[in-house]
Amino acid sequence: MRFLRVTGCFLLALLAFAGCQSPVPRDTATPSTLAPGTAPTNPTSASAVAAAYRDHRDHVWVEGAGTVERLLRDDTKPPRHQRFVVRLIGGGTILIAHNIDLAPRVPLKRGDTVSFRGEYIWSEQGGTVHWTHRDPQGGKNSGGWIRWRDFIYR
């Protein structure tokens, strides 16, 4: 009887511990505890992307959010990029090119909600946001990020 009690307690403790583990290894992303001003604070930030598209602007820092509509093949030519299309909350789509040589890959699925900060480059298809990672040299407005679930990838 004591053996069953000890075994049962061990299994309960093991299940409780397993339930507390992060779905993403801690060495690949950081919990979403960003300093003020580094996370999207304005749900209409997609209007900045829309304005940049309308005005054919390049090299503009933007923040936005939306739903992953398509996962594309990685760009494997160095520097390597994870590529995906996001349908913005305010409408329209944008290509995100996330440098996976400088930042961890985001384990996205179609339909996931993400928010991002990066540098916008205009194109007829809606534009591209890149620099969604920390700046290895400390410039570029502190770099960008992608927020997925409760993790920040930069």
Side-chain angles (χ1 to χ4, degrees):
M1 186 68 164
R2 182 169 183 221
F3 173 77
L4 289 176
R5 237 184 289 152
V6 170
T7 304
C9 288
F10 174 77
L11 288 175
L12 284 174
L14 183 63
L15 287 173
F17 179 75
C20 293
Q21 296 301 304
S22 166
V24 178
R26 289 283 182 211
D27 62 342
T28 62
T30 56
S32 179
T33 53
L34 292 176
T38 59
T41 55
N42 181 356
T44 62
S45 59
S47 64
V49 176
Y53 175 76
R54 180 190 65 233
D55 299 339
H56 295 208
R57 298 192 59 205
D58 280 331
H59 308 291
V60 178
W61 283 89
V62 297
E63 291 182 12
T67 304
V68 175
E69 188 168 278
R70 279 189 297 162
L71 299 171
L72 305 173
R73 272 192 259 185
D74 287 352
D75 178 2
T76 57
K77 187 178 91 182
R80 300 172 308 137
H81 287 80
Q82 176 182 12
R83 300 178 318 137
F84 54 97
V85 176
V86 171
R87 174 142 319 267
L88 299 169
I89 291 173
T93 59
I94 194 158
L95 172 66
I96 306 292
H98 181 61
N99 186 323
I100 52 176
D101 285 334
L102 293 175
R105 174 183 300 280
V106 184
L108 296 169
K109 293 183 192 143
R110 189 168 178 247
D112 284 350
T113 300
V114 296
S115 54
F116 58 86
R117 178 180 191 274
E119 187 178 52
Y120 176 83
I121 304 294
W122 183 86
S123 75
E124 288 184 19
Q125 293 80 24
T128 300
V129 171
H130 69 141
W131 276 95
T132 57
H133 53 81
R134 64 176 172 72
D135 183 348
Q137 310 201 320
K140 283 275 189 185
N141 286 332
S142 307
W145 42 260
I146 295 174
R147 181 179 180 162
W148 173 78
R149 297 188 178 172
D150 289 331
F151 292 91
I152 302 295
Y153 294 80
R154 53 170 137 204

